[in-house]
Amino acid sequence: MSLPQLDGSIIFIYAKDFEASCRFYGEVLGLERAGELGGDVQIFLLSGCYLAVVKQGVSASATPPRCAAEAGDTAIVGLLCKSTKDVDAYHVRLQGAGLGSVLSAPQRNDTFGLYNMMARDPNGYLVEVQCFLKPDMLKPLKSKL
């Protein structure tokens, strides 16, 4: 079975001091805001992908990660799909891959406006395959160099 091409990538970092982290990436590093998922997730534009700063304790996963200083999870590999059908296809592929583990089946998450599933790669990193339910939720990614 061939899979649909992924539509992009989003990196999630968990911040104990959410406001300071948002200032660091937005004001100090000068990253442009692409959007937000509620008030507790700020998303910034990078060339070719997004960076999401998530307030510690808030997550679309069943067990929200903590900041890297307090837990082993330092980031989520966020893989963006164009549709819920594409997320479902990746779920089927990951279930049968024999590598890593699937943590949750795809589900609609109206709080964050997405449809997602969670897995862990063979090294234990969280992987979230998702699509946004509103296609215009974020500004388009900047073109690659």
Side-chain angles (χ1 to χ4, degrees), residues 12-112:
F12 294 88
I13 59 169
Y14 292 86
K16 188 172 184 176
D17 189 341
F18 178 72
E19 289 75 19
S21 292
C22 290
R23 286 193 313 273
F24 176 79
Y25 288 101
E27 297 172 21
V28 175
L29 295 181
L31 298 182
E32 182 180 350
R33 277 196 59 236
E36 65 182 42
L37 304 177
D40 297 328
V41 181
Q42 297 294 314
I43 301 176
F44 298 92
L45 283 171
L46 295 168
S47 181
C49 71
Y50 298 106
L51 171 67
V53 177
V54 182
K55 185 182 243 181
Q56 181 170 299
V58 174
S59 178
S61 70
T63 308
R66 294 172 286 149
C67 68
E70 295 183 7
D73 289 327
T74 57
I76 291 179
V77 177
L79 303 175
L80 302 178
C81 294
K82 292 183 181 181
S83 69
T84 58
K85 182 180 172 183
D86 292 353
V87 174
D88 291 338
Y90 277 91
H91 179 251
V92 169
R93 172 62 68 89
L94 287 167
Q95 278 187 310
L99 290 173
S101 60
V102 173
L103 302 177
S104 67
Q107 57 190 334
R108 185 180 177 99
N109 185 313
D110 290 319
T111 301
F112 293 104

